[in-house]
Amino acid sequence: MTAVEGRPGVPVAGEQRVALQRRISGVLVASQILGGLGVATGVALASVLAQRISGTEGLSGLAPTAMVAGTAVASLPLAALMTARGRRPGLVVGYLVGALGAGVVVVAAVIGSFPLLLCGMAGFGAASAANLGARFAAADLVEPDRRARAISNVVWAATIGAVLGPNIAAPAGRSVSGLGIPTTAGPFLWAAGIFLAAAVTVAVLLRPDPLLTARALAPVEERSAEGRSLRAGFAAVAASPRARLALVTVAVCHTAMVSVMSMTPVALEHHGASIDLIGLVISGHIAGMYAFSPLMGRLSDGVGRLSGIGLAVGLLACAAFLAGTADGSHGRTAVGLFVLGLGWSAGLVSGSALLTDSVPDAVRAAAQGLSDLVMNASAGLGGATAGLVMATAGYGWLNLAAACLLIPVGALALFTRGGPRRGLSAKGRG
């Protein structure tokens, strides 16, 4: 037994620890719903707003790209803050910066400044970085054989925001029509308020801090602050074959998903699909990404992390085959995009759990921040490259390229399978 962080003298053991973890998980789910709702509400019309401010369709894609870049850039400073001060300050700062960025987007829309819009979208991305960090906070206090399920429950909560966000974008736009704010900027004003609500939720309710409490519960020899730095986190990932596999898995799965998903609406439109049909295909893809994540968590905890990664590789390869050979079949494309979402979910959950398993507690937050940085930077590059591949070679070749990205993940998984488990059970670790 030991004292809960911030509450000296209160023991945490057995059922108390389970109850604490459940309460923390509930707070993280609530913040994930709010954060996801804010991101989805703003992003729904980001490209349209960029097109209207810039006056050209060619620059419209820079708005979501700036958000992805902002998410990647914010990952490291938020990880450093979490490493030093705990999960709560890092998540609160991420949501507050996201709210500030959303406000800057509204100002940019009012004055018609495209560079200011891109700056605001970059700040907006910090809220997305906070949402990603929440999944790791869910695993801080759970036993190794339940980490994937804890992560997957928080990932699942994003389903609510992802579904509701685009649907409230229109009313959010109408709500500002009498305020001198362009209707396309209305969703960002709402997003700012939603991010503030998420920040307050975390600041008030995420007590005690899960990361600091986990450190307090660790053996005395593992509580040293000397290794709690970004450099130590990077060194821990470099020294662990399993951590390297986890990082590559998350980055590749996310990049393959973003590359194919971002160009699918264009491919469908080229083959005569209506806007309504394109919306249904993307909705099915989002359902595959989030709705089944608890199942992916149970599978990863039950059969092992490496098996979960193998499932992700198989599903993503199958998705690339289905979508890449659809050749105008809207139904086949829809199935491919749904399977693509399932593969992403399996890779994110298993990769995140394996990374958490594979590094010491003291540097966990730093290693996780590195993972999110690499994941978002890779996806940003992949999304930008996808357009070039689509324009020069076509949708089928884009899917083939995405499938080829999976080869290193499969090879690393096979090479790593016999590696050390650092004291965890084979079931829990792969």
Side-chain angles (χ1 to χ4, degrees), residues 4-41:
V4 176
E5 174 268 326
R7 295 168 58 191
V10 180
V12 177
E15 294 181 0
Q16 286 181 306
R17 179 168 179 165
V18 173
L20 177 61
Q21 171 56 30
R22 286 176 179 171
R23 185 170 67 79
I24 287 173
S25 179
V27 175
L28 292 171
V29 165
S31 70
Q32 185 82 346
I33 291 173
L34 290 170
L37 179 61
V39 171
T41 301

Side-chain angles (χ1 to χ4, degrees), residues 1-7 9-21 24 137 139-143 147 208-224 228 361-362 364:
M1 293 192 297
T2 187
V4 176
E5 174 268 326
R7 295 168 58 191
V10 180
V12 177
E15 294 181 0
Q16 286 181 306
R17 179 168 179 165
V18 173
L20 177 61
Q21 171 56 30
I24 287 173
D140 284 334
L141 286 172
V142 297
E143 298 299 323
R147 280 177 180 156
D209 188 285
L211 181 59
L212 299 185
T213 303
R215 287 175 180 170
L217 292 170
V220 175
E221 62 272 14
E222 296 182 13
R223 299 183 196 175
S224 171
R228 296 175 193 168
D361 291 347
R364 184 179 294 168

Side-chain angles (χ1 to χ4, degrees), residues 35 38-39 66-67 69-79 81-82 88-106 116-131 188-189 191-200:
V39 171
M67 190 200 80
T71 302
V73 171
S75 298
L76 281 188
L78 291 182
L81 181 57
M82 291 181 193
R88 186 171 63 249
L91 295 177
V92 169
V93 169
Y95 287 128
L96 289 179
V97 173
L100 177 62
V104 171
V105 169
V106 174
L116 188 61
L117 169 69
L118 297 183
C119 291
M121 288 302 302
F124 186 87
S128 181
N131 257 24
F188 287 94
L189 188 62
I194 295 170
F195 291 153
L196 289 175
V200 171

Side-chain angles (χ1 to χ4, degrees), residues 148 292-301 311 315 342 345-346 349-350:
F292 295 89
S293 58
L295 173 62
M296 299 304 177
R298 288 184 175 274
L299 286 173
S300 182
D301 283 337
L311 174 64
L315 287 171
L342 289 178
S345 180
V349 170
S350 293

Side-chain angles (χ1 to χ4, degrees), residues 145 148-149 295-311 350 417 421 425-430:
D145 61 354
R149 273 172 280 189
L295 173 62
M296 299 304 177
R298 288 184 175 274
L299 286 173
S300 182
D301 283 337
V303 301
R305 312 289 190 237
L306 298 182
S307 297
I309 291 172
L311 174 64
S350 293
R417 182 169 293 275
R421 287 171 166 74
S425 68
K427 177 181 177 180
R429 291 290 306 278

